[in-house]
Amino acid sequence: MPKVTVDGQEIEVPAGATVLQACELAGKEIPRFCYHERLSIAGNCRMCLVEVKPGPPKPQASCALPAAEGQEIRTDTPMVKKAREGVMEFLLINHPLDCPICDQGGECDLQDQAVAYGRGGSRYERENKRAVTEKYMGPLIKTIMTRCIHCTRCVRFSEEIAGVDEIGALYRGEDMQITTYLEQAAAHELSANVIDLCPVGALTSRPYAFEARPWELKRTLSVDVSDAVGANISLHSKGREVMRALPRINDDVNEEWLSDKGRYQVDGLSKRRLDKVYVRKAGKLAPATWTEGFDSIASHLGKDKSKIAAVAGDLVDCETMFAAKALVKACGSDLVEARQTGMTYDVTNLAAVNFNSTFAGIETADCIFIIGSHIRWEAALVNARIRKAVKAGAKVFVVGPEWETTYPATFLGEDLKVLNRVPKALGDAMKAATRPAVILGGAALAAGALAPALKLVDKLKLVRAKEDGTTWNGFNVLHMSAARMGSLMLDFTVPSGMAEIAAASPKVVLSLGADEMNFEPFADALKVYIGHHGDKGAHHADIILPGASYAEKDGTYVNTEGRVQFAEKAVFAPGDAREDWTILRALADALGVSVGFDSFGELQAKMIAEAPALGEEGLADYGALSKADSAAKFEGEITAYPVKDFYLTNPIARASAVMQQCSAELLHGAEMKEAAE
């Protein structure tokens, strides 16, 4: 490890580090626009100039200069100060004076660094400023390209992280322009991350334009529930409305990226909301009081309270499921299920239904076999991790219908029977791999592929010792529901799934935001919907009890890799809506049963006592994989994937005008109408 001196302070830096990284290790702030820790080095902006000896007597770009033994680096000399002022002056020559109306104002790198490193005055007089026509990058990204300083962060993100070559540069010199090819919309699942990357106001959020200034917003730490990745987010609210969601840095989960759905579905939080109690009378839902709703449920159950069941939806937190299970159990029933679409698979061993490699670990895999998963739509951020593995040399094989991958992949067809004898190409690649991985998706689980897939653990040696003495576990199940792993940890299941619930013919079915379930088998039951949006579940309900969304309550979520995370309450639920656990607690009183808690703290304590892993944030330990059933065989075909439309997978997204527009324009090719139309 080389030793360098930064402003008189000697430090040791890792081999391969740049001078910029060495300065940061020494606690020195280096201004930059083009450099980003997760992107390749471009050296475009020249803002990170420092003085280095030995070397030429001139400022050098620290982002592109390797740190070497014996270097003397100065960040505070008159030469460096003058050079940075000169670079800033050149950057501002063509930059428009848009700060008062720019949505980047208050969180703009150019604004901040102009104050910190600029001259403090302008020598600009009568020269003409360049102007660039606006580019259309879709319904999510607003462009004012005259502000662009050509840092190329957006270009490098699209090519290197997202794997979609949709943004590039045209022309040269002062005529250079950043644009999408043929000026079409940027149509991929991570496109809006370029807004966060843009150091100026060239790329801003189209739905959020002119809505609020950053200093007006309250920030709340939360978790994205649009998929099972559990991306860490920050909800920015103004008054009682969530204005936007931004990613938080967590290298183990989402790094610093966020899917477009997780970022932009938040406008659906205020639309199609259920804000009062409804009871179906004469075939129509009519407004009612809480007392009427509870009394209707109690009278329908009668004296035999055991005829009650609870089905949890995909966005439900662990506390709500625990409260529902406690209520159902207190009534003398054990009919609870969270796999609302009807999937059944063995959940006695949680390691067998977990993403054991972890998201960070899948980057190091050198052969990845995907069974029945359209990962770009089911977990866009995991797809970006797989792309990083492929760039490092990993081979990817897929069983299932073909989809547009962002990396080279070999599709082995749709027939699962091909896996009863591993194809030679796959077998050879797995045999040569040091860290092989299998990823089982939702379509594979629905096809009953879990049991035979466990046989691949021994056949492909998916569990083996790593170089550092730890164990590599390459068997992974990729869920799509934010509630799935939490429900399995709470044993919120019955062996035969929804079929067993239907066969029991319950008198009352509590639907906890379960909008994807089939309500036909419960035609004779009283269907009680406890949720937050007027979606499919509410349309089938006989009684609606308005609940709170993930942004309106504290809650624990477990992602598909078994990572326990806590989301905080950002805003209050609208109207008469209440937090789900309070509704279930009040319903317990109406039914005359005791659930053993009266506050959220008591509820959490009882939940943690039953499932201790839920009390500690981080990866839960599920132990070793269960032994495979030697008689299990792959059967059937995977003809389709569960996610039909990436942008409309849950009730919040379906209520979002932005997500509807993305679906129409980016997936279904609908032409946007002109204003005059």
Side-chain angles (χ1 to χ4, degrees), residues 260-311:
D260 290 351
K261 180 168 54 180
R263 183 186 299 262
Y264 282 115
Q265 70 173 5
V266 293
D267 76 303
L269 289 171
S270 59
K271 297 178 176 67
R272 295 188 192 170
R273 287 305 300 267
L274 300 173
D275 58 0
K276 60 180 68 175
V277 177
Y278 288 90
V279 174
R280 192 175 295 277
K281 298 174 182 176
K284 291 186 177 181
L285 287 168
T289 65
W290 286 98
T291 303
E292 285 180 86
F294 290 149
D295 288 347
S296 296
I297 298 170
S299 61
H300 199 85
L301 267 180
K303 292 182 179 179
D304 184 9
K305 298 184 180 67
S306 64
K307 286 291 187 177
I308 187 171
V311 181

Side-chain angles (χ1 to χ4, degrees), residues 14-97:
T18 63
V19 168
L20 187 149
Q21 291 169 325
C23 292
E24 290 195 329
L25 285 173
K28 303 294 180 181
E29 181 180 339
I30 303 296
R32 83 291 295 272
F33 291 114
C34 67
Y35 175 79
H36 191 276
E37 293 81 357
R38 303 185 196 277
L39 304 176
S40 61
I41 294 170
N44 292 339
C45 72
R46 321 308 287 182
M47 194 65 207
C48 63
L49 295 172
V50 296
E51 193 176 342
V52 182
K53 295 179 182 177
K58 64 178 184 179
Q60 299 190 64
S62 60
C63 68
L65 184 65
E69 182 70 36
Q71 281 178 333
E72 291 183 30
I73 305 165
R74 301 294 304 190
T75 68
D76 55 2
T77 63
M79 179 195 292
V80 171
K81 183 175 184 296
K82 185 178 180 181
R84 290 175 179 172
E85 287 177 352
V87 170
M88 180 59 70
E89 195 169 13
F90 273 116
L91 287 174
L92 295 176
I93 281 176
N94 284 313
H95 198 76
L97 299 174

Side-chain angles (χ1 to χ4, degrees), residues 346-407:
D346 184 13
V347 296
T348 53
N349 177 232
L350 292 185
V353 289
N354 186 50
F355 201 95
N356 297 292
S357 297
T358 72
F359 299 152
I362 201 69
E363 291 182 11
T364 66
D366 44 10
C367 185
I368 301 171
F369 179 31
I370 302 169
I371 307 174
S373 179
H374 186 330
I375 291 189
R376 269 189 73 173
W377 282 8
E378 293 172 15
L381 294 169
V382 177
N383 190 64
R385 298 269 195 177
I386 294 174
R387 175 170 166 77
K388 289 171 77 172
V390 171
K391 289 174 70 177
K395 294 182 179 178
V396 177
F397 297 85
V398 185
V399 166
E402 292 196 19
W403 47 278
E404 189 177 348
T405 61
T406 56
Y407 37 77

Side-chain angles (χ1 to χ4, degrees), residues 367-369 371 419 422-423 426-438 453-464 472 474-475:
C367 185
I368 301 171
F369 179 31
I371 307 174
L419 300 179
V422 177
L426 173 62
D428 291 346
M430 284 286 185
K431 190 175 181 180
T434 57
R435 294 188 181 186
V438 167
L454 282 167
K455 293 170 65 177
L456 298 175
V457 174
D458 291 332
K459 191 178 288 187
L460 303 178
K461 293 182 172 59
L462 298 178
V463 179
R464 58 180 72 179
W472 166 260
F475 186 81

